Every structure is written in structure tokens, then in C-alpha cells.
Amino acid sequence: MAHQLSENRIVVSGIQPSGTLHLGNYFGAIRQHIALHDQFESYFFIVNYHALTSLHDRDRLRAYSLDVALDYLALGFDPTKSHLFLQSDVPAVNELAWIFYTLTPVSQLEKGVAYKDKVAQGLSANAGLFNYPVLQAADILIYGGHRVPVGADQKQNIEICRNLAARFNDRFGRGPQDAQGPPREMLPVPEPYILDDVAVVPGLDGRKMSKSYDNTIGIFDEGKELKKKVMAIVTDSTPLEEPKDPDTCNVYALIRLFADEKTRRRVAADYRAGGYGYGHAKKELLALITDRFAEARERRRELAKRPDDVMDVLREGGVRARERAETVMERVRDAVGLITTWNT
Ligand code: ADP
């Protein structure tokens, strides 16, 4: 279980617009984001600079970025409660990242598990991908983020971010008069907020659902496309009449996420009793997915007709985010000795 967040804490999190958001993203991150943004001032940003580490396609980057905004709004993000914006609306984040590069040992990044995983998955080993955790740290610290909701897979990057905040404070948080004492907290050291332990959501082929494996079910997939995907989920070949083990079945792993307790138990019992085939289970799963996102799908259709309203939400979020970022950046520039002539 995730621990309780205290009041008056800034929650920050980035969402990568590098593909269509899928059920793994929904259960592993988005669902909790939506719950958090109601309770705490949250800065959720669409990390299009990050997406450039794996996507060099102007039209797709633009489309995915706006899709993420539509998806979040359709799934219940309320812009009167928290801020949703584009990372590229706060270019100062790259300035902060640059300062952080100069504080980051290369050896620390070389140990990056996420970097190694992505290269193993076939992404090109570009310097952006290598430096990804540093830009991520800037993303968090530029808003004075206290809490960062992340999946367990992101723990190491949050550690890099915490190290950077501490190193920055140590290097730049001491005036001449307090050289011996503890440094001032120029940048608050954030705490990870590990999202509720959702077991890894399996994809169509039984591996972790991931856009890199092309095995995803999109949150807003529907109709024939959704049906085709659900029917393609890999199962073993136990005949219909024989008992089956729900705990080793990819279809049941997905049913578990959608169904209420009573349905879960009933389906598990049907599996074990025999006479219930994978085809039956897939039909139930299809109905559950269709049902769960029916309202959101409708809202998304409506929102898609009003792209200007979506841009307005992003614009307002961007204004708020830049304001907040600028207060931190003024402190940072001053602390490190970077003179600018345009804001004095
Ligand atoms: P992808 O693997 O498709 O590239 P991302 O790495 O962009 O997905 O995922 C963003 C976040 O979504 C992750 O940090 C994690 O919290 C969540 N997530 C993604 N895929 C899954 C999955 N299969 N199961 C559980 N959570 C997932």
C-alpha cells in the first residue's frame, strides 16, 4: 500500500507522449494520478522533451501529446483542481537540467537500469536517453516537488533526483557565514510516493504490457479493434471442459483488474470447475473493458470536437507552471552565479 500524503505538498509527475496510453499505464499510473490530483496540488506534465529520446516524428509527437491531454481529461482530470501542461511550455527545465548535468557523475548514469532496459529493448543509445534521469530530476525540482508518484520501476531515477537536490543544496546552499553548518534547503529533497502495488499488467503475449513490445490494449480501444486484441490474448491450450488455473492465465490477470470482488471469485471458480473456456473468459473481459471506459470514451469523443478548449487547459496549466518554475529558477541562477540581464 502507498503511504498517506500529508497536506500542502506539491505532487509532480510526467507522462510520456511516445505512444497510445494503454491498460498498463492506466492501472500502473494514471488511475492513481487522477485520485491524487483531487487531494493535492499536482503538476502533471506531458513530457514531450523526454519523448524525443525515442520518437523523431513531428506529426506523431504532436498527436500523442494532445492525445495524452485528451486521455487525462476524459479519464477525469479536472483542471480546476490541479495543473496539466506540456513540458515544452516550461523551457527553463532544460536550463535547470544543464546545471544538474554539471553535478552528475557519469558513473551514476551508467548504472541506470531504465537506460539499460530501453537499450536492450532496441532503443538507440542516444545521449538524451542516457541523461533522461537528469532532465527528470529537473522536472521535479523546478516545481519544488515534494512527492513524486512513481511505479516501482522508477525508484532508481527518484534516487538520482534526491541525490541531485542534496548535492545542489550542499554545493550552493551555504553562505559564507554558515560554511560549517548544515546547508540551506534550496531545493526540497523529494520523497517517492510508490504507487499502489499493481502487479505488472500483462500484454497480449503475456509479457509486460508495453508499447515497446507492441502487445498493448489501448485505454480507448473499442469495437472491432478491441475485440480483435482481446481475442488474441495468449492462453494455454487446455480444452474447454477441463479445469483451468486462473492464477497462471493472462486473461484472468486482466479480469482481476476490472472486476469487482464477487465477479473475480465467480470467474476464478468457473475456471477451476471446468466447462468454462478461454473464449468465455475473453468475452467477459471484453464486456468489462467496454463498460469501465464507456463514460470516459464518450467524454473523449466530445472533447475531441473542442480542441481549442483542450489547448486552453494546457495553456493555463503552462502559465501556472512557468510562474512556479521561475520563482525556483531565480533562486537557482542566483545561487550558482548565472547572471541574466532580461529579468532584472
Ligand atoms: P511503456 O512500457 O509502454 O513504454 P512507460 O514506461 O511509458 O510504458 O510507463 C509509464 C508508467 O506506466 C510506468 O512507470 C508504470 O508506472 C506504468 N506502467 C507501464 N506499463 C505497465 C504495466 N505493464 N504494468 C503496470 N504498470 C505499467
Side-chain angles (χ1 to χ4, degrees):
M1 271 301 282
H3 42 280
Q4 200 56 45
L5 289 172
S6 57
E7 292 300 331
N8 301 324
R9 301 256 115 174
I10 303 289
V11 174
V12 293
S13 195
I15 312 112
Q16 221 191 137
S18 52
T20 301
L21 294 178
H22 54 71
L23 298 181
N25 299 136
Y26 178 74
F27 287 105
I30 301 171
R31 194 178 50 156
Q32 288 94 322
H33 285 173
I34 302 283
L36 282 171
H37 97 292
D38 265 352
Q39 291 172 269
F40 304 97
E41 185 177 9
S42 303
Y43 288 75
F44 289 150
F45 34 92
I46 301 166
V47 293
N48 45 6
Y49 290 134
H50 282 289
L52 280 172
T53 59
S54 63
L55 180 65
H56 289 156
D57 180 323
R58 173 189 187 272
D59 293 342
R60 279 168 65 208
L61 182 58
R62 291 178 70 97
Y64 289 149
S65 300
L66 298 176
D67 276 351
V68 170
L70 273 176
D71 291 352
Y72 265 68
L73 292 168
L75 290 166
F77 185 96
D78 177 349
T80 63
K81 294 189 173 144
S82 278
H83 319 288
L84 181 67
F85 57 98
L86 293 155
Q87 187 184 29
S88 51
D89 264 344
V90 189
V93 77
N94 285 306
E95 186 187 355
L96 185 59
W98 178 262
I99 295 167
F100 286 166
Y101 293 140
T102 68
L103 288 165
T104 309
V106 170
S107 58
Q108 188 175 26
L109 296 177
E110 279 170 345
K111 295 190 192 106
V113 175
Y115 172 73
K116 287 186 202 156
D117 280 356
K118 288 192 172 168
V119 173
Q121 282 175 4
L123 291 190
S124 85
N126 63 58
L129 198 62
F130 185 69
N131 287 313
Y132 196 109
V134 180
L135 180 57
Q136 192 176 32
D139 274 331
I140 295 164
L141 299 175
I142 203 165
Y143 307 112
H146 295 100
R147 293 285 170 137
V148 192
V150 287
D153 55 346
Q154 288 280 317
K155 266 192 213 160
Q156 191 187 32
N157 286 359
I158 299 308
E159 227 15 73
I160 294 176
C161 175
R162 286 167 54 83
N163 288 164
L164 269 167
R167 219 173 287 138
F168 185 94
N169 292 337
D170 191 50
R171 199 72 56 86
F172 299 110
R174 297 174 198 276
Q177 69 286 2
D178 51 13
Q180 300 308 318
R184 274 179 299 143
E185 198 178 56
M186 307 280 300
L187 298 172
V189 180
E191 293 290 330
Y193 172 79
I194 302 299
L195 296 172
D196 283 346
D197 251 345
V198 174
V200 169
V201 178
L204 304 182
D205 56 1
R207 289 187 293 173
K208 177 188 170 189
M209 186 176 287
S210 169
K211 62 183 171 293
S212 320
Y213 296 143
D214 201 14
N215 65 354
T216 63
I217 298 178
I219 300 170
F220 291 98
D221 283 349
E222 59 184 326
K224 273 196 192 139
E225 192 191 359
L226 177 62
K227 185 168 178 192
K228 201 170 139 206
K229 286 189 180 176
V230 170
M231 294 304 157
I233 298 172
V234 172
T235 59
D236 62 29
S237 50
T238 315
L240 186 141
E241 60 280 3
E242 280 185 27
K244 302 175 184 63
D245 181 1
D247 297 327
T248 56
C249 175
N250 297 321
V251 183
Y252 184 73
L254 289 167
I255 289 178
R256 271 180 63 104
L257 293 166
F258 285 92
D260 57 27
E261 183 60 34
K262 193 165 150 233
T263 310
R264 277 208 293 264
R265 271 207 230 120
R266 197 259 307 145
V267 175
D270 286 347
Y271 263 74
R272 293 196 178 98
Y276 177 90
Y278 292 121
H280 295 127
K282 287 177 175 180
K283 273 201 190 120
E284 293 212 48
L285 175 61
L286 182 61
L288 285 165
I289 300 177
T290 306
D291 212 46
R292 165 70 75 101
F293 297 117
E295 268 178 41
R297 238 176 246 124
E298 197 42 47
R299 267 202 300 273
R300 197 181 191 287
R301 252 192 289 279
E302 285 308 308
L303 275 165
K305 292 181 196 153
R306 298 185 277 116
D308 291 351
D309 292 353
V310 177
M311 283 308 261
D312 283 345
V313 167
L314 294 175
R315 189 173 297 112
E316 280 161 32
V319 168
R320 177 76 190 98
R322 273 197 304 282
E323 272 169 16
R324 190 166 171 96
E326 209 35 50
T327 59
V328 174
M329 284 312 292
E330 276 175 17
R331 265 206 325 264
V332 166
R333 290 187 200 107
D334 182 58
V336 303
L338 285 171
I339 301 171
T340 54
T341 58
W342 49 269
N343 58 352
T344 48

